[in-house]
Amino acid sequence: MDQGGSFGGFKIDKLTASNYHTWKQKIELVLAFRELDEVVFNIGSTNVMLDTAAAAEFRKKDAKAKAVIGLTLSDEHLEHVRGAESAAEMWLAIKNVFQRTSLLNKLAARRRFYTVSMADGERILTYINRVKQLTEELKAMGVTIDDEEVAMAVLNGLPPKYDH
C-alpha cells in the first residue's frame, strides 16, 4: 500500500478515491509552509516576468510544488497529471477529477452523507470527523448543508447503544 510521503516532518497520505478533501487540505498547508502556494494558486502577479532571476526563481518553486503534489499521488492518480506543465495545471487536473459538480457526483456525495453510519469499534470523534468530511465534500460541490442536517446525519448513523 502506498503510504505517501514526509515533507519536512509532515506526513501526507497518498491521494486515493476516498481522501481527496483531507489530502487537499494537507497539501495546501504544506505548499503554504514551503512558500510554494503562489505558483500553484496564482497568488500575486501572473504576468510574464521580464526579470530572468525572478523567472528562474518561479520555475524553481514550480518544480518543487510539482514534486510535492506528484509525490503524494498514487500511481492511479498520477495519470491525471502526466501532461501537466506546471504545478497549477496539476492542481487543476486533480480538482477537475475530484470536485466535479455534475448531478451524478452530487447525488453520490449526498447518498454517502445521508447513509453514513458509525462502524463497529470506531471512535465517536473519528465518526463525527468522517461526517464533517462528507459535509465539506458536498459544500465543495456547491451543495448547501446546514448544521441541523449535519447533526441529523451524525445522530442517524449512531448504533442503537447511543439511543439514550
Side-chain angles (χ1 to χ4, degrees):
M1 181 177 161
D2 290 330
Q3 293 297 315
S6 179
F7 298 93
F10 305 110
K11 184 185 179 314
I12 307 291
D13 292 331
K14 293 228 182 210
L15 175 63
T16 65
S18 62
N19 72 346
Y20 170 71
H21 290 281
T22 302
W23 174 89
K24 177 184 169 197
Q25 185 175 14
K26 287 180 178 180
I27 291 296
E28 287 173 344
L29 292 170
V30 168
L31 291 169
F33 179 78
R34 297 210 172 219
E35 299 178 352
L36 302 171
D37 51 344
E38 65 191 39
V39 298
V40 178
F41 307 116
N42 297 319
I43 299 169
S45 177
T46 58
N47 296 335
V48 176
M49 292 178 246
L50 299 177
D51 181 358
T52 57
E57 179 65 22
F58 185 88
R59 282 192 302 274
K60 184 177 176 182
K61 283 184 170 187
D62 188 61
K64 286 181 179 183
K66 283 174 64 175
V68 168
I69 295 168
L71 290 171
T72 60
L73 298 177
S74 65
D75 292 346
E76 170 188 3
H77 296 303
L78 197 56
E79 291 298 319
H80 300 300
V81 298
R82 188 166 309 280
E85 295 183 12
S86 68
E89 283 183 24
M90 289 176 83
W91 191 260
L92 184 60
I94 294 165
K95 184 178 176 182
N96 286 339
V97 169
F98 289 95
Q99 274 189 232
R100 288 180 286 204
T101 58
S102 70
L103 184 60
L104 287 177
N105 285 339
K106 286 181 183 180
L107 176 63
R110 279 182 187 267
R111 184 174 290 142
R112 286 190 303 276
F113 176 79
Y114 287 114
T115 61
V116 66
S117 62
M118 188 172 164
D120 290 337
E122 185 175 24
R123 293 180 39 223
I124 190 81
L125 185 59
T126 304
Y127 166 64
I128 291 170
N129 286 335
R130 198 158 46 90
V131 174
K132 285 182 180 179
Q133 183 176 344
L134 291 169
T135 304
E136 291 306 314
E137 184 179 327
L138 283 166
K139 286 180 179 178
M141 293 180 173
V143 176
T144 303
I145 299 287
D146 62 26
D147 291 341
E148 187 175 302
E149 280 185 277
V150 175
M152 285 190 294
V154 168
L155 293 173
N156 186 53
L158 289 173
K161 71 179 183 179
Y162 289 97
D163 282 349
H164 63 278

